[in-house]
């Protein structure tokens, strides 16, 4: 581990787990006025997450939940670009969650510091869109595509297959000139995995630490939490915190969460026990 991540205008040290706060720019198909309102809401929410201690923001304008339909490029741009422009001076790096090379190029121009691609930069032109920038790149594993990925996924060896995929994608990015200090890997909890696959990946997270790349994990409020607790998505804070701490204890460097303040508190207590700085 190099001990840091080059993330656009920022160099993040990885001595303690970092918290990435989720900022959804919610869809609105009714009118332009409503979209302006959604934009303002997303910006206000993001600023609140920074106040709560978020180390990174992850802005997303494309619904990637299981079964979700694709969003056209121009609509995704309308959602995310104004939010990135407003947040570029908020004090923390701004990541954008997108699979589309055209969106990647536009948000990098607008000031984004990181691109988070659940498709692992596999779309034609995606590696080229990030190669010459200074942004960090998060490569996530997904089996299938969002619309169909939860249709009974099967693996012989989920840890080996996910780890192999992430290593291959990292090598492809490096082959295009992306420096290793810009790359983050993510097993993609909930993306084409059963509940058992997700917990196997979490339990054996350390085995995914191939190469020198930091790991990002996103389990916040997901169905893997609901499956164990029996809670609906609005009641999954306790389970999500437990998953985040389990990830941190197994070497996750970045925790992607909705509930920043509570996760930051949990990490402070955990860090006191573990003797790491938080
Ligand atoms: C993840 C993610 C989502 C994740 C990374 C949700 C965009 C679903 N999950 N990106 N995005 N990792 N890197 O429930 O686990 O937040 S969307």
């Amino acid at each position: 581990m190099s001990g840091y991540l080059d993330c656009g205008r920022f160099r993040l040290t990885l001595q303690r787990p970092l918290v990435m706060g989720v900022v959804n720019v919610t869809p609105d198909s009714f009118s332009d006025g409503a979209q302006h309102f959604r934009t303002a809401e997303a910006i206000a929410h993001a600023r609140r997450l920074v106040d709560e201690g978020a180390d990174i923001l992850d802005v997303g304008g494309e619904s990637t939940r299981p079964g979700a339909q694709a969003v056209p490029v121009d609509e995704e741009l309308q959602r995310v670009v104004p939010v990135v422009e407003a947040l570029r001076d908020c004090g923390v790096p701004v990541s954008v969650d997108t699979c589309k090379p055209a969106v990647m190029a536009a948000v990098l121009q607008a000031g984004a510091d990181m691109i988070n691609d659940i498709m692992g930069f596999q779309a034609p032109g995606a590696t080229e869109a990030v190669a010459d920038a200074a942004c960090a790149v998060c490569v996530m594993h997904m089996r299938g595509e969002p619309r169909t990925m939860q249709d009974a996924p099967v693996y012989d060896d989920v840890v080996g297959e996910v780890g192999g995929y992430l290593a291959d994608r990292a090598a492809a990015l490096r082959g295009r000139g992306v420096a290793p200090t810009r790359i983050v890997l993510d097993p993609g909890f909930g993306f084409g995995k059963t509940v058992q696959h997700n917990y196997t990946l979490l339990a054996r997270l350390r085995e995914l630490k191939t190469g020198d790349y930091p790991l990002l994990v996103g389990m916040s409020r997901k169905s893997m939490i609901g499956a164990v607790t029996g809670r609906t998505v609005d009641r999954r804070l306790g389970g999500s915190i437990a998953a985040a701490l389990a990830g941190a204890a197994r070497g996750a460097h970045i925790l992607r969460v909705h509930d920043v303040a509570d996760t930051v508190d949990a990490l402070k207590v955990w860090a006191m026990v573990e003797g790491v700085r938080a």
Side-chain angles (χ1 to χ4, degrees):
M1 268 284 304
S2 56
Y4 61 85
L5 175 67
D6 284 318
C7 190
R9 300 159 293 162
F10 298 81
R11 174 168 280 185
L12 301 176
T13 58
L14 301 169
Q15 255 67 289
R16 61 169 177 95
L18 301 178
V19 174
M20 168 185 265
V22 177
V23 181
N24 286 318
V25 190
T26 50
D28 192 285
S29 48
F30 297 107
S31 74
D32 274 1
Q35 187 52 53
H36 289 309
F37 178 70
R38 303 289 181 206
T39 303
E41 251 185 352
I43 294 164
H45 182 67
R47 295 215 166 102
R48 190 154 57 238
L49 297 185
V50 174
D51 288 342
E52 291 179 1
D55 299 293
I56 310 172
L57 296 170
D58 189 36
V59 177
E62 183 181 44
S63 181
T64 40
R65 296 200 191 298
Q69 295 297 317
V71 176
V73 172
D74 51 337
E75 189 169 337
E76 197 179 330
L77 286 171
Q78 276 181 24
R79 291 184 195 172
V80 296
V81 170
V83 176
V84 172
E85 285 173 344
L87 295 175
R88 60 180 298 163
D89 297 315
C90 72
V92 306
V94 178
S95 166
V96 174
D97 146 32
T98 187
C99 310
K100 298 187 183 74
V103 175
M104 295 176 189
V107 298
L108 289 170
Q109 203 64 41
D113 299 291
M114 178 168 179
I115 302 292
N116 172 27
D117 184 354
I118 63 163
M119 300 281 296
F121 300 87
Q122 291 188 95
T127 47
E128 292 78 1
V130 297
D132 297 330
C135 62
V137 292
C138 180
V139 176
M140 198 195 79
H141 175 272
M142 169 164 53
R143 164 68 62 85
E145 52 174 290
R147 207 167 40 76
T148 56
M149 65 188 177
Q150 289 306 107
D151 300 349
V154 177
Y155 299 81
D156 286 331
D157 165 15
V158 69
V159 176
E161 289 175 48
V162 169
Y165 168 86
L166 294 175
D168 287 350
R169 294 309 304 153
L173 285 160
R174 290 181 67 168
R176 296 282 185 159
V178 177
T181 54
R182 292 172 54 198
I183 298 174
V184 181
L185 304 180
D186 179 347
F189 291 97
F191 288 86
K193 284 124 189 151
T194 63
V195 171
Q196 190 54 56
H197 291 141
N198 288 315
Y199 283 99
T200 299
L201 286 164
L202 175 56
R204 295 171 57 191
L205 195 66
R206 286 197 183 284
E207 294 172 51
L208 295 176
K209 280 214 231 175
T210 47
D212 267 356
Y213 307 112
L215 293 174
L216 186 153
V217 296
M219 297 174 282
S220 179
R221 300 183 185 174
K222 284 186 179 173
S223 60
M224 66 182 282
I225 307 298
V228 172
T229 59
R231 303 288 188 191
T232 52
V233 69
D234 56 323
R235 302 286 310 281
R236 293 180 184 166
L237 176 60
S240 298
I241 298 269
L245 293 185
R250 287 161 183 75
H253 298 89
I254 303 176
L255 309 169
R256 182 180 180 277
V257 304
H258 299 88
D259 301 288
V260 169
D262 292 293
T263 306
V264 167
D265 281 358
L267 282 170
K268 283 180 177 168
V269 173
W270 174 82
M272 281 301 285
V273 181
E274 298 300 322
V276 296
R277 284 185 299 122

